[in-house]
Amino acid sequence: MPPVIRHAEPADLAAVKAIYDQPSVYANTLQLPFQPQAKWQSLFEPQPGFYNLVAELDGQVVGQLGLQVMQNPRRRHVAEFGMGVSEPFQGQGIGSALLRAALDLADNWLALRRVELLVYSSNESAIALYERFGFEVEAELADYAYQYGNYISALVMSRLRNTA
């Protein structure tokens, strides 16, 4: 049964925080472990151009994706996103469902031309997912972040929608 993708509601706060409290999730983002709930509260407050999606499976929130449309007038054709999937549900199509919904929103409702992201170069499963959806590597950023006691590189990836 495919997950239900919907806009996140305030009642989802604890479930989203629980996803990002999992080691494999926070390790592959810029999040730190042991974040207070107040840090996540901002995801549920109205922000210009921010779309907060969750994946729900059998009534349980198992993934989250935040799509941020740039507010600078010269970059309003661009959005960036970040996402996390609960450890027990990774590799089961949850990330694909979230990304498919976000790209549908970007392409068919927000008239976005470019969607971009950063991903650690060691996160092979995420890179493969993004490539399946048409994202391409534009650059590698050396020593971008600190993870498990080492500096790691990140890839800048983007997907350009063909408007012709």
Side-chain angles (χ1 to χ4, degrees), residues 131-154:
E131 287 175 338
R132 281 195 306 274
F133 279 85
F135 285 82
E136 296 180 2
V137 174
E138 293 185 331
E140 183 170 359
L141 307 174
D143 292 350
Y144 178 78
Y146 199 68
Q147 178 194 63
Y148 296 121
N150 296 297
Y151 290 101
I152 59 170
S153 297

Side-chain angles (χ1 to χ4, degrees), residues 49-69:
F50 182 70
Y51 300 89
N52 188 7
L53 305 178
V54 293
E56 186 178 278
L57 196 58
D58 298 325
Q60 178 184 359
V61 172
V62 297
Q64 183 273 342
L65 183 148
L67 180 73
Q68 178 65 60
V69 178

Side-chain angles (χ1 to χ4, degrees), residues 10-164:
D12 299 323
L13 174 61
V16 169
K17 179 186 182 311
I19 290 168
Y20 287 93
D21 280 346
Q22 297 170 352
S24 72
V25 179
Y26 65 71
N28 284 302
T29 68
L30 287 174
Q31 305 305 322
L32 291 171
F34 315 117
Q35 294 294 307
Q37 186 162 322
K39 188 257 187 257
W40 295 101
Q41 184 69 43
S42 65
L43 283 179
F44 295 87
E45 296 169 3
Q47 300 172 45
F50 182 70
Y51 300 89
N52 188 7
L53 305 178
V54 293
E56 186 178 278
L57 196 58
D58 298 325
Q60 178 184 359
V61 172
V62 297
Q64 183 273 342
L65 183 148
L67 180 73
Q68 178 65 60
V69 178
M70 301 299 160
Q71 296 302 293
N72 181 310
R74 295 178 65 188
R75 291 212 5 114
R76 285 200 182 135
H77 65 290
V78 178
E80 63 183 1
F81 74 92
M83 72 170 155
V85 174
S86 184
E87 289 176 343
F89 298 93
Q90 292 175 5
Q92 297 181 30
I94 304 300
S96 291
L98 282 164
L99 190 50
R100 188 175 299 108
L103 292 175
D104 177 66
L105 182 63
D107 292 347
N108 298 311
W109 301 101
L110 300 176
L112 297 176
R113 170 106 168 92
R114 176 183 171 89
V115 179
E116 58 192 29
L117 63 99
L118 282 172
V119 60
Y120 296 147
S121 54
S122 60
N123 192 345
E124 294 174 5
S125 60
I127 294 166
L129 170 67
Y130 303 143
E131 287 175 338
R132 281 195 306 274
F133 279 85
F135 285 82
E136 296 180 2
V137 174
E138 293 185 331
E140 183 170 359
L141 307 174
D143 292 350
Y144 178 78
Y146 199 68
Q147 178 194 63
Y148 296 121
N150 296 297
Y151 290 101
I152 59 170
S153 297
L155 302 176
V156 176
M157 297 183 77
S158 74
R159 173 188 165 273
L160 296 176
R161 184 172 55 94
N162 186 354
T163 56

